[in-house]
């Protein structure tokens, strides 16, 4: 509860800066619109104004600055406009019983969430298995780790279309699987790194202790390495699920997808609907926040049960 | 008397980037059943290494050593000894009872035997009633007692302790020393105890092994003339001070002032 005040303070600052930025960002659009409606603008004509700085435009046309806060297609919408759009495409549609309509962000969010979760499970499994291999085999340590690092330097936007083409070549229908693979591609890495660190966290004397008991390798893994890695695992999972969501959205962007939050962002861009972009963006951020919070709760509960709560 | 541990001309050389380090050189020592043997010396004298060789955690590069008449490795496989490290090293995700149960689970004791032994050893180290507590709920001294209980749980005849009270303050240390003597008296175990505190070594031991560094070797073995019954104030008697003096002399003689 202690963190509420600082969080709210930062939020207030962001919203304040956002409101301040709306005026210069939207002044040209606002002036063009006012001029078409017959208002007197200095200087005259959109072409003329392109040469003038936004600050000058605002200073010379103070009466129209406020128009920038109520545009239908703003360059930068106000927080309230984004909020209204979000409500219109979620809660309001639910109240009208149209939650699963193609215009509803709940529908698109659900599509994205499904791929994210599949990608998250796939990536986590690959990450954990890879970490176990790296910790237990010197060969895997020297061969897998460099590739894992290199894999993260390849831009995912370049890989995504290839993954979609290749999966369709082997007869996979739909975009669910390729999106999950793209999302797993981003998600496995933090899990792998965190689990390697966690599995290696027991010190030499802890391993010596088990040696004096003549414990088997499996016993060492189950009774020492695995439980010792749990705090590291949860930290990685929180990073991993956010990465999985980003991966899914990227997977929806360049691939001609028509549903999912990524598709909404792209379509909003193509059809000049900034409000759709911003509301999809916020929906994605809220979704990420919810997922990370759920994992955080799971982490607290698990660590408390294990007696490791701090 | 039964010889439990016998080292014969034992050598151990570590190869490091700065050349070989002679951790142990020509070490001869017999430890009899029921002995309480302290190893004392400055850091780098090989006292911990010697203890680790007995436990098969380090391999000697020369000479021979037997534990219970067999090689350290066989002794380890027979679970002949319990080992207590300097840090208690309790698993934070296990309760005190769970930590003591750890070796028993690994060694395949059944549930009833586990519960019985946990209860028995907790009583032995005066921690009855703390079974369900987690390590962080206990003081450092209590944690170290729990780790001794863990080493005692499977009833090995030998107890090897590597500076177990090194990180504790003097008052707690006195108390634990007294308890350790009591425990040794009740169980009749053979104890190997590494320390760098002269009073601790003299107070606890029947035999004090003084070691010196570069190369790690034994400079003196002192059979303690002190009686088995040792209240804490025995440390003010002339006999005690005499032994302590001899230990100090041994340490000084072995120390090269270069």
């Amino acid at each position: 509860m202690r963190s509420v005040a600082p969080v709210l303070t930062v939020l207030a600052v962001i919203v304040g800066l956002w409101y301040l930025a709306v005026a210069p960002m939207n002044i040209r659009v606002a002036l063009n619109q006012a001029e078409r409606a017959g208002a007197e603008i200095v200087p005259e004509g959109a072409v003329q104004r392109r040469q003038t700085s936004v600050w000058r435009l605002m200073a010379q046309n103070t009466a129209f600055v406020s128009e920038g806060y109520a545009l239908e297609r703003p360059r930068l919408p106000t927080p309230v406009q984004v909020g209204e759009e979000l409500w219109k495409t979620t809660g309001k549609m639910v109240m009208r019983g149209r939650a699963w309509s193609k215009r509803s962000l709940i529908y698109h969010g659900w599509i994205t969430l499904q791929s994210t979760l599949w990608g998250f499970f796939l990536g986590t499994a690959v990450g954990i298995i890879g970490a176990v291999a790296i910790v237990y085999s010197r060969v895997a340590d020297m061969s897998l780790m460099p590739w894992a690092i290199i894999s993260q330097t390849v831009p995912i936007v370049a890989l995504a279309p290839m993954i979609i083409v290749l999966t369709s070549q082997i007869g996979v229908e739909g975009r669910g699987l390729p999106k999950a693979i793209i999302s797993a591609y981003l998600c496995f890495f933090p899990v792998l790194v965190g689990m390697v660190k966690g599995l290696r966290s027991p010190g030499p004397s802890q391993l010596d202790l088990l040696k004096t008991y003549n414990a088997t390798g499996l016993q060492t893994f189950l009774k020492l390495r695995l439980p010792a890695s749990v705090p590291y695992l949860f930290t990685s999972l929180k990073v991993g699920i956010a990465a999985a969501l980003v991966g899914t959205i990227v997977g929806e962007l360049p691939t001609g997808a028509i549903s999912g939050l990524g598709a909404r962002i792209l379509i909003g861009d193509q059809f000049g609907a900034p409000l759709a972009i911003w509301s999809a963006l916020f929906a994605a951020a809220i979704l990420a926040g919810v997922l990370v919070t759920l994992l955080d709760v799971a982490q607290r509960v698990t660590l408390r049960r294990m007696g490791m709560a701090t | 008397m039964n010889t439990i541990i016998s080292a014969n001309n034992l050598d151990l050389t570590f190869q490091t980037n700065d050349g070989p380090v002679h951790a142990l050189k020509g070490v001869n020592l017999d430890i009899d059943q029921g002995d309480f043997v302290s190893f004392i010396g400055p850091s780098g004298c090989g006292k911990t290494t010697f203890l680790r060789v007995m436990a098969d955690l380090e391999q000697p590069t020369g000479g021979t050593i037997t534990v219970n008449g067999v090689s350290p490795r066989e002794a380890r496989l027979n679970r002949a000894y319990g080992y207590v490290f300097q840090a208690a090293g309790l698993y934070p995700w296990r309760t005190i009872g769970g930590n003591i149960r750890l070796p028993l689970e690994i060694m395949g004791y059944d549930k009833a035997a586990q519960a019985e032994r946990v209860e028995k050893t907790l009583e032995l180290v005066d921690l009855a009633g703390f079974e369900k507590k987690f390590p962080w709920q206990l003081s450092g001294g209590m944690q170290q007692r729990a780790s001794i209980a863990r080493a005692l749980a499977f009833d090995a005849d030998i107890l090897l302790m590597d500076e177990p009270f090194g990180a504790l303050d003097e008052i707690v240390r006195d108390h634990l020393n007294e308890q350790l003597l009591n425990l040794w008296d009740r169980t009749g175990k053979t104890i190997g105890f590494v320390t760098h505190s002269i009073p601790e070594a003299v107070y606890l031991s029947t035999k004090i092994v003084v070691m010196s560094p570069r190369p790690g070797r034994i400079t003196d073995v002192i059979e303690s003339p002190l009686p088995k019954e040792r209240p804490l104030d025995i440390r003010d008697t002339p006999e005690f001070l005499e032994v302590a003096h001899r230990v100090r002399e041994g340490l000084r003689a072995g120390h090269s002032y270069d």
Side-chain angles (χ1 to χ4, degrees):
Chain A
M1 273 342 243
R2 250 177 327 138
S3 61
V4 169
V7 167
L8 286 182
T9 310
V10 172
L11 186 69
V13 170
I14 291 173
V15 170
L17 287 174
W18 186 349
Y19 265 108
L20 288 177
V22 166
M25 287 296 155
N26 290 343
I27 187 74
R28 292 181 203 277
V29 183
L31 293 181
N32 291 351
Q33 200 173 304
E35 195 170 43
R36 274 199 297 277
E40 193 91 356
I41 307 292
V42 208
E44 236 172 281
V47 184
Q48 269 292 313
R49 283 195 294 276
R50 226 166 277 161
Q51 313 296 325
T52 322
S53 80
V54 287
W55 315 112
R56 193 122 171 237
L57 289 176
M58 281 162 64
Q60 288 170 339
N61 305 283
T62 39
F64 298 100
V65 171
S66 64
E67 306 257 311
Y69 286 84
L71 296 173
E72 204 170 308
R73 292 188 169 189
R75 286 284 142 79
L76 177 66
T78 65
V80 169
Q81 281 178 310
V82 174
E84 277 171 356
E85 176 72 11
L86 258 180
W87 171 247
K88 233 163 64 190
T89 48
T90 54
K92 206 165 167 189
M93 300 198 87
V94 172
M95 285 185 351
R96 281 195 276 150
R98 298 184 56 225
W100 299 106
S101 140
K102 294 264 176 344
R103 297 178 57 88
S104 147
L105 278 183
I106 292 174
Y107 164 77
H108 292 286
W110 170 241
I111 300 281
T112 300
L113 177 64
Q114 275 178 313
S115 282
T116 301
L117 290 179
W118 280 116
F120 175 66
F121 289 129
L122 189 62
T124 302
V126 170
I128 291 176
I129 292 167
V132 172
I134 283 172
V135 168
Y136 275 91
S137 149
R138 229 183 109 68
V139 177
D141 187 14
M142 301 188 51
S143 57
L144 274 185
M145 207 52 179
W147 284 106
I149 294 166
I150 288 169
S151 75
Q152 300 304 298
T153 66
V154 179
I156 190 72
V157 188
L159 270 181
M162 282 194 270
I163 291 173
I164 287 166
V165 169
L166 291 178
T167 47
S168 78
Q169 281 301 306
I170 55 168
V172 174
E173 294 285 323
R175 304 204 174 271
L177 181 70
K179 266 161 56 181
I181 292 175
I182 295 163
S183 126
Y185 188 91
L186 283 189
C187 160
F188 91 95
F189 188 68
V191 177
L192 179 92
V193 173
M195 275 305 274
V196 167
K197 201 166 176 211
L199 291 173
R200 282 187 177 151
S201 63
S205 73
Q206 301 237 292
L207 293 167
D208 279 345
L209 179 71
L210 288 182
K211 194 177 170 195
T212 69
Y213 300 152
N214 191 23
T216 64
L218 184 66
Q219 285 171 329
T220 306
F221 179 74
L222 291 177
K223 293 196 187 292
L224 177 59
R225 290 194 190 273
L226 199 60
S229 72
V230 170
Y232 295 83
L233 174 66
F234 273 106
T235 310
S236 319
L237 288 183
K238 285 195 274 185
V239 180
I241 198 146
L245 181 65
V246 170
T248 304
I249 290 175
V250 170
E252 289 165 346
L253 277 178
T255 56
I258 48 164
S259 46
L261 293 175
R264 288 297 290 178
I265 292 173
L266 194 71
I267 290 167
D269 186 47
Q270 285 162 348
F271 289 82
L275 280 175
I277 302 179
W278 282 88
S279 59
L281 216 57
F282 271 81
I286 291 166
L287 188 58
V290 169
L291 291 173
V292 172
T293 305
L294 284 177
L295 279 173
D296 193 60
V297 170
Q299 177 179 30
R300 278 163 206 264
V301 170
T302 311
L303 291 188
R304 186 162 304 150
R305 285 213 172 163
M306 287 177 76
M308 292 200 282
T310 43
Chain B
M1 273 274 213
N2 249 342
T3 302
I4 295 290
I5 295 170
S6 175
N8 226 311
N9 207 17
L10 200 66
D11 283 344
L12 198 156
T13 308
F14 290 113
Q15 299 299 337
T16 69
N17 290 335
D18 301 330
V21 172
H22 300 285
L24 293 174
K25 193 153 180 69
V27 169
N28 293 294
L29 184 73
D30 282 339
I31 297 176
D32 292 332
Q33 185 167 17
D35 266 350
F36 195 126
V37 182
S38 286
F39 300 88
I40 187 164
S43 48
C45 71
K47 53 193 193 298
T48 293
T49 308
F50 192 19
L51 203 72
R52 288 174 62 85
V53 168
M54 295 174 201
D56 188 38
L57 296 173
E58 302 289 354
Q59 302 307 317
T61 48
T64 56
I65 179 165
T66 58
V67 177
N68 274 347
V70 295
S71 71
R73 181 178 151 77
E74 266 177 273
R76 175 170 69 82
L77 299 188
N78 294 337
R79 281 129 184 186
Y81 65 85
Y83 201 102
V84 180
F85 292 86
Q86 181 168 10
L90 301 171
Y91 291 3
W93 57 87
R94 281 175 175 255
T95 59
I96 296 304
N99 271 288
I100 296 169
R101 220 176 290 119
L102 176 73
L104 303 174
E105 286 172 14
I106 288 171
M107 296 174 188
Y109 286 82
D110 65 52
K111 286 259 184 273
Q114 286 179 17
E116 188 200 318
R117 276 161 184 267
V118 167
E119 201 191 317
K120 205 183 79 188
T121 42
L122 275 174
E123 214 157 290
L124 215 48
V125 297
D126 211 9
L127 277 179
F130 287 92
E131 189 180 341
K132 298 251 155 41
K133 294 267 189 269
F134 281 101
W136 58 269
Q137 294 170 298
L138 269 61
S139 69
M142 288 164 106
Q143 288 188 22
Q144 199 50 275
R145 261 148 59 196
S147 99
I148 293 171
R150 182 175 61 183
L152 291 171
F154 48 100
D155 238 346
D157 291 330
I158 306 170
L159 191 57
L160 302 176
M161 309 175 87
D162 182 7
E163 292 190 41
F165 308 140
L168 304 174
D169 66 66
E170 194 97 14
I171 299 161
V172 176
R173 205 168 176 160
D174 278 353
H175 182 59
L176 289 185
N177 281 340
E178 213 176 3
Q179 280 193 320
L180 182 59
L181 270 189
N182 191 286
L183 189 145
W184 172 64
D185 189 36
R186 283 165 68 190
T187 56
K189 295 204 187 292
T190 309
I191 298 183
F193 188 94
V194 169
T195 179
H196 48 219
S197 153
I198 296 173
E200 189 170 69
V202 178
Y203 176 67
L204 292 172
S205 322
T206 56
K207 189 185 264 190
I208 302 156
V209 178
V210 184
M211 299 181 74
S212 81
R214 286 181 298 271
R217 62 193 187 279
I218 294 176
T219 50
D220 197 6
V221 178
I222 304 162
E223 302 282 346
S224 174
L226 299 178
K228 199 164 181 189
E229 202 62 39
R230 296 178 187 179
L232 271 175
D233 51 24
I234 201 172
R235 294 181 301 182
D236 300 325
T237 62
E239 291 84 4
F240 185 96
L241 296 174
E242 199 175 310
V243 179
H245 180 73
R246 199 176 145 191
V247 173
R248 199 167 288 119
E249 287 295 305
L251 288 172
R252 196 168 296 155
H255 204 286
S256 45
Y257 293 96
D258 47 315

